[in-house]
Amino acid sequence: MISKFLKAKHWQLFILMFGIPLILQFITMGSIMFSFSNSEKPEALIMINALTLFPVIMIINSGLLFGWFWSIAIGLQKKVPQSVRMKVKKFQYFFFVPLIYIMLISLLIGFATSGLFIDGNASASIGGGISIALVVILHFFSMFCIIYCLYFVAKTIKTVELQREVNFNDFIGEFFMLWFYPLGIWIIQPKINKIAETESV
């Protein structure tokens, strides 16, 4: 699977990670608007039925994006110079935290949305203020982990490319291209393709 991500063309990844989820979102929103104007069902029931697709879209998008990050960060380690030490274990820990969080929050969205529309009580639907505070804390920690993953992946790319120890100034461009991946993927992935085709160091 790692090699498939490394060898995939930029347009293929763009379609999978951005194009298809975007189309699914448009279809979902379109179905909601159509249902409102043509259905005799209660509006709340229409929203509940339509929003059940959003967690699926989120999981697919996140799975592909994180799969790409993992493939770069782990798949290119064999091309990192032996003199450079990369904190792979730290990356792996920070990688799985947001991934698990996104999966759990996706499941929670369906439950919370159902509770909000049926009960009309946001605090009751997600377990009250303590649960909200916990979700907020986990959310910010997950954001920190994602930023670290972007940092590590960008550093890996530049380290392999330059074959030396690098600092943030060297790979700040790659960092922001990974952050804004719908645009950055068109520049980053050709580099990855080229690196993947070269012989291991």
Side-chain angles (χ1 to χ4, degrees):
M1 184 60 72
I2 288 178
S3 63
K4 290 185 182 298
F5 273 107
L6 295 179
K7 294 178 181 178
K9 300 301 180 184
H10 47 67
W11 61 268
Q12 293 172 325
L13 291 177
F14 179 83
I15 290 172
L16 287 172
M17 294 194 296
F18 187 74
I20 292 176
L22 186 64
I23 291 171
L24 289 175
Q25 288 183 41
F26 280 130
I27 291 172
T28 302
M29 295 306 297
S31 67
I32 291 174
M33 300 303 294
F34 180 78
S35 297
F36 278 157
S37 59
N38 294 280
S39 178
E40 296 180 356
K41 294 180 181 179
E43 292 185 1
L45 186 59
I46 293 171
M47 290 294 292
I48 291 168
N49 291 336
L51 290 176
T52 53
L53 186 59
F54 275 109
V56 176
I57 296 171
M58 188 182 299
I59 289 172
I60 292 172
N61 178 256
S62 300
L64 290 169
L65 182 60
F66 277 81
W68 185 48
F69 288 165
W70 178 271
S71 298
I72 296 171
I74 302 301
L76 297 184
Q77 285 304 308
K78 60 185 178 182
K79 298 179 184 292
V80 173
Q82 293 183 356
S83 59
V84 179
R85 294 190 62 185
M86 302 289 290
K87 298 178 180 179
V88 179
K89 292 290 185 184
K90 185 177 180 180
F91 164 77
Q92 290 174 335
Y93 171 74
F94 283 137
F95 175 87
F96 284 107
V97 169
L99 191 61
I100 293 170
Y101 170 76
I102 289 170
M103 299 299 177
L104 292 176
I105 206 69
S106 297
L107 297 174
L108 182 62
I109 285 174
F111 171 76
T113 303
S114 176
L116 283 169
F117 282 109
I118 293 173
D119 301 330
N121 188 335
S123 61
S125 67
I126 55 177
I130 295 176
S131 296
I132 293 174
L134 182 61
V135 168
V136 169
I137 292 170
L138 288 173
H139 185 76
F140 279 106
F141 181 61
S142 180
M143 288 174 61
F144 168 78
C145 292
I146 291 171
I147 290 172
Y148 180 81
C149 288
L150 295 174
Y151 169 88
F152 187 89
V153 173
K155 184 176 182 179
T156 300
I157 294 169
K158 208 64 179 181
T159 300
V160 172
E161 188 178 5
L162 299 180
Q163 288 295 298
R164 62 171 174 82
E165 186 75 50
V166 295
N167 55 47
F168 187 65
N169 289 333
D170 293 319
F171 58 88
I172 189 170
E174 284 78 6
F175 176 82
F176 283 106
M177 282 188 283
L178 288 167
W179 194 331
F180 302 101
Y181 71 92
L183 297 176
I185 199 170
W186 298 91
I187 300 171
I188 290 287
Q189 190 60 21
K191 285 186 179 182
I192 302 302
N193 294 153
K194 187 176 180 180
I195 292 171
E197 290 171 0
T198 61
E199 293 294 327
S200 300
V201 176

